[in-house]
C-alpha cells in the first residue's frame, strides 16, 4: 500500500499546479480507521471504512485519475466513476491543465 500511495502522491503536485485539488482516499480513510481503533488497513474494520470513504469521495469528485498498476480499489473507483458519468483519465498528461 505504501508504494502505491507514494506513486499516487507523486501526481499531487502536478495536479495542484494545474488548478485541481488532488484527493487520495487513503488520506481520509487511514486517519478515520486509526481513530476507530483499527490496527491498520488489514484490520477487519478496514472494510467498513476504506471503500466507503472512496465511494463518498466520488460523490464530490469532478474526475478520476487512474494510474497504471494493480489495485482492486482503484478499479472499483473507476467503475463507479463511469457509472456516474465522471471523467476518468489514465495518464497524468491527459488531465486538463497538466503540462
Amino acid at each position: 500500500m505504501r508504494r502505491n500511495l507514494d506513486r499516487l502522491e507523486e501526481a499531487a503536485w502536478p495536479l495542484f499546479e494545474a488548478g485541481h485539488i488532488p484527493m487520495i482516499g487513503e488520506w481520509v480513510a487511514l486517519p478515520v480507521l486509526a481513530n476507530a481503533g483499527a490496527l491498520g488497513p488489514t484490520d477487519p474494520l478496514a472494510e467498513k471504512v476504506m471503500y466507503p470513504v472512496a465511494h463518498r469521495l466520488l460523490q464530490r469528485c469532478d474526475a478520476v485519475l487512474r494510474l497504471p498498476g494493480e489495485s482492486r480499489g482503484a478499479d472499483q473507483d473507476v467503475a463507479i466513476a463511469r457509472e456516474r458519468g465522471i471523467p476518468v483519465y489514465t495518464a497524468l498528461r491527459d488531465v486538463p491543465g497538466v503540462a
Side-chain angles (χ1 to χ4, degrees):
M1 177 186 272
R2 182 73 247 167
R3 192 174 338 157
N4 281 344
L5 196 51
D6 288 344
R7 208 167 38 87
L8 294 172
E9 289 175 351
E10 288 174 10
W13 174 246
L15 290 169
F16 184 80
E17 192 173 41
H20 306 287
I21 298 176
M23 177 53 62
I24 299 171
E26 286 81 359
W27 289 346
V28 176
L30 291 175
V32 170
L33 194 58
N35 282 284
L39 299 176
T42 59
D43 191 284
L45 188 57
E47 192 172 312
K48 294 183 178 181
V49 175
M50 300 296 281
Y51 293 131
V53 162
H55 295 174
R56 291 178 191 183
L57 283 172
L58 282 167
Q59 293 174 355
R60 307 278 186 215
C61 291
D62 297 320
V64 170
L65 172 60
R66 174 59 167 101
L67 296 175
E70 189 174 322
S71 172
R72 186 176 58 128
D75 291 340
Q76 289 177 350
D77 293 346
V78 166
I80 291 168
R82 289 190 171 136
E83 286 172 11
R84 295 180 181 173
I86 299 170
V88 175
Y89 299 98
T90 55
L92 184 59
R93 69 181 175 277
D94 295 335
V95 176
V98 175

